[in-house]
Amino acid sequence: MTYCYHVCICLFLIIVQTTVMPYIPLFKGFYDLLTPFFIYLSIFRPLRESIPVILFFGFVMETISGGTFGLYLTTYLWLFIGVRWVITFLHVGNNPLLPFIVVAGVLMQNFIFVGSSVIFEPGLRFTSEMSITIGVQVFWAIFTGPMFLMFFNYSFGKWDKRVKEISSRKVDR
Amino acid sequence: MVLIVGVIVLITVNIILLSLFNRRYISYYGPGRIAISIVAPFQKATSTSIRFVRDIWRHYFFLVNASKENEGLRKDLNRAFERNVQFKEFELSNARLRNLLNFQKNITDRVLAAEIIGKDPSPWFKTVLIDKGKHDGVEKGMAVVIPEGIAGQTTEVSAHYSKVLLIIDHNSAVDALVQRDRARGIIKGGSAGQCIFKYVLRKHDVVVDDIVVSSGLDGVFPKGLSVGYVSGVVKPKSGIFQEVTVTPYVDFEKLEEVLVVLNPEKREFEKEK
């Protein structure tokens, strides 16, 4: 049931960012919505739960996006490793730190995407347009990233509670 | 120390793997097609719902402006009618000339209409998903156009859906020429929705507002389809090429329906087989 929750959330986020957000000019240049979800998994969920979800939806993102195969998987796995490492010495359940974690994740993703383009395509220049795109993503990440994390944490808590209630009722019968 | 060495090794392996994947085409037949098939139906349902709601809004709530717009459109229609008569004359003469030159291809006979159901999740890459796939006759490497000009080409095809690489993506390349000057080059994706017209020799007199059309030499896009217009020319003091920026005619932000140029000869050949 836990995987069911993760799959539903990931599918919902992918659908929103590929079909709903392109119609809304305000959200042009919004960051990858799976980034805060995978940060949430890295901080709050165990390894055996997080890794299969990250690998599967990393692969899904590879197939629906036009980038070099492996970019999303690279980003998500390094994000996971990075966040896991950070939580060994920082108490990130602490709310004031959440925006920085999401911003760091968004910056890392952009760094990998732009870096791979620059490495594999000689002659490609870093333009002002690129810095604007990154700036807009960081702006959105600062304000909405912590909200996403808190929402995921809250909704999973509710889901888990509901699932436990249903299963205990079955046992009582 | 061990941790640092481990991280460096991991990064190196990661870059090597990405480099390999970047050079070799990875076919997503199998699990990749399944992944597209999982996501695409949800994307189609969502985009259809959004269009339905938007159409209701446009048709019923915007009627206040409709009468004014109607008057304007009537005038436009009259003008368009006059121009249409002229164009028909051109079309007839064009058809005669085409027959004369043994041009057998006619793009209007070979296109398949498709709807865009999803856009690329990353702003760094410019691809879209369309609701037509292998079962509809779509194959990898087919040209995707709209009446305004070239939109892109199919790069992944699953049973009912396909991924289209737009010409504004930096991985895209279209062999093109300037209509007036016949200067040849390669249209590559640039930044801010613009394209770069690469490898245009300095000797050619390319000017702003020149129209760029496909040359047909890449074997993907039929010859003569409009790509865009020249919006900037920089002639460096040294070097053999000039830097030309092209603004595509297609508005990729508002792209909703496209036409996939099929390959009738190949399909007939397969039927014969």
Side-chain angles (χ1 to χ4, degrees), chain A residues 11 14-23 28-32 56-57 59-72 74-75 78 81 85 109-110 112-114 116-117 119-127 129-131 133-134 137, chain B residues 3 6-7 10-11 14-15 17-23 26 28 31-33 35-36 38-40 42-44 46-47 50-51 54 116-127 129 156 163 165 169-171 188-189 191-192 198 243 253 256:
Chain A
L11 263 180
I14 290 173
I15 302 304
V16 166
Q17 72 176 336
T18 56
T19 57
V20 180
M21 287 167 82
Y23 286 99
K28 195 188 167 200
F30 208 88
Y31 60 93
D32 178 12
F56 180 72
F57 280 97
F59 182 72
V60 169
M61 291 295 274
E62 299 290 358
T63 55
I64 61 170
S65 178
T68 303
F69 186 83
L71 272 181
Y72 277 94
T74 296
T75 309
W78 278 110
I81 293 166
W85 177 66
Q109 186 173 47
N110 283 305
I112 292 172
F113 282 11
V114 176
S116 70
S117 301
I119 291 170
F120 302 128
E121 280 177 52
L124 193 83
R125 294 175 211 154
F126 190 84
T127 58
E129 187 69 24
M130 288 177 171
S131 50
T133 305
I134 295 170
Q137 290 197 7
Chain B
L3 184 73
V7 168
L10 267 177
I11 290 171
N14 203 166
I15 291 171
L17 282 174
L18 281 175
S19 169
L20 286 173
F21 286 136
N22 192 50
R23 282 176 194 177
I26 302 291
Y28 300 115
R33 277 201 306 192
I36 289 181
I38 290 169
V39 179
F42 292 104
Q43 287 181 316
K44 190 177 183 182
T46 313
S47 55
I50 291 169
R51 277 178 200 159
R54 196 192 53 196
I116 287 169
I117 56 163
K119 296 196 175 180
D120 201 296
S122 169
W124 302 114
F125 309 111
K126 310 291 179 190
T127 60
L129 278 181
E156 301 294 333
K163 186 158 78 180
L165 182 74
D169 189 285
H170 54 76
N171 288 315
K188 295 272 290 173
S191 58
K198 290 183 117 177
E243 291 169 20
E253 295 292 325
E256 288 184 22

Side-chain angles (χ1 to χ4, degrees), chain B residues 148-270:
Chain B
E148 284 84 358
I150 287 174
Q153 63 171 299
T154 54
T155 51
E156 301 294 333
V157 182
S158 72
H160 300 287
Y161 306 98
S162 305
K163 186 158 78 180
V164 177
L165 182 74
L166 302 177
I167 57 165
I168 50 171
D169 189 285
H170 54 76
N171 288 315
S172 163
V174 181
D175 201 299
L177 44 86
V178 176
Q179 198 173 45
R180 182 183 57 82
D181 192 49
R182 314 312 284 177
R184 214 184 127 203
I186 305 288
I187 291 282
K188 295 272 290 173
S191 58
Q194 301 235 315
C195 293
I196 303 161
F197 197 19
K198 290 183 117 177
Y199 312 118
V200 180
L201 295 172
R202 283 188 84 232
K203 66 178 182 180
H204 293 297
D205 177 34
V206 180
V207 293
V208 172
D209 288 339
D210 267 350
I211 294 168
V212 179
V213 295
S214 57
S215 71
L217 293 170
D218 51 23
V220 176
F221 298 99
K223 187 177 181 177
L225 291 178
S226 52
V227 177
Y229 62 90
V230 175
S231 52
V233 182
V234 177
K235 283 194 178 181
K237 285 178 185 169
S238 59
I240 53 170
F241 303 119
Q242 51 188 311
E243 291 169 20
V244 183
T245 311
V246 172
T247 304
Y249 283 125
V250 178
D251 185 351
F252 292 97
E253 295 292 325
K254 293 177 181 169
L255 202 60
E256 288 184 22
E257 288 94 17
V258 290
L259 300 169
V260 183
V261 182
L262 301 173
N263 193 343
E265 290 115 51
K266 199 172 177 184
R267 289 170 81 194
E268 279 163 17
F269 172 71
E270 279 176 356

Side-chain angles (χ1 to χ4, degrees), chain B residues 102-158:
Chain B
N102 283 330
F103 274 115
Q104 292 175 342
K105 290 178 180 176
N106 184 359
I107 193 163
T108 52
D109 292 338
R110 306 183 283 123
V111 293
L112 173 75
E115 264 188 21
I116 287 169
I117 56 163
K119 296 196 175 180
D120 201 296
S122 169
W124 302 114
F125 309 111
K126 310 291 179 190
T127 60
V128 291
L129 278 181
I130 57 171
D131 65 345
K132 295 286 185 292
K134 215 173 180 65
H135 287 190
D136 307 288
V138 180
E139 287 171 18
K140 192 187 150 219
M142 282 182 167
V144 177
V145 299
I146 62 166
E148 284 84 358
I150 287 174
Q153 63 171 299
T154 54
T155 51
E156 301 294 333
V157 182
S158 72

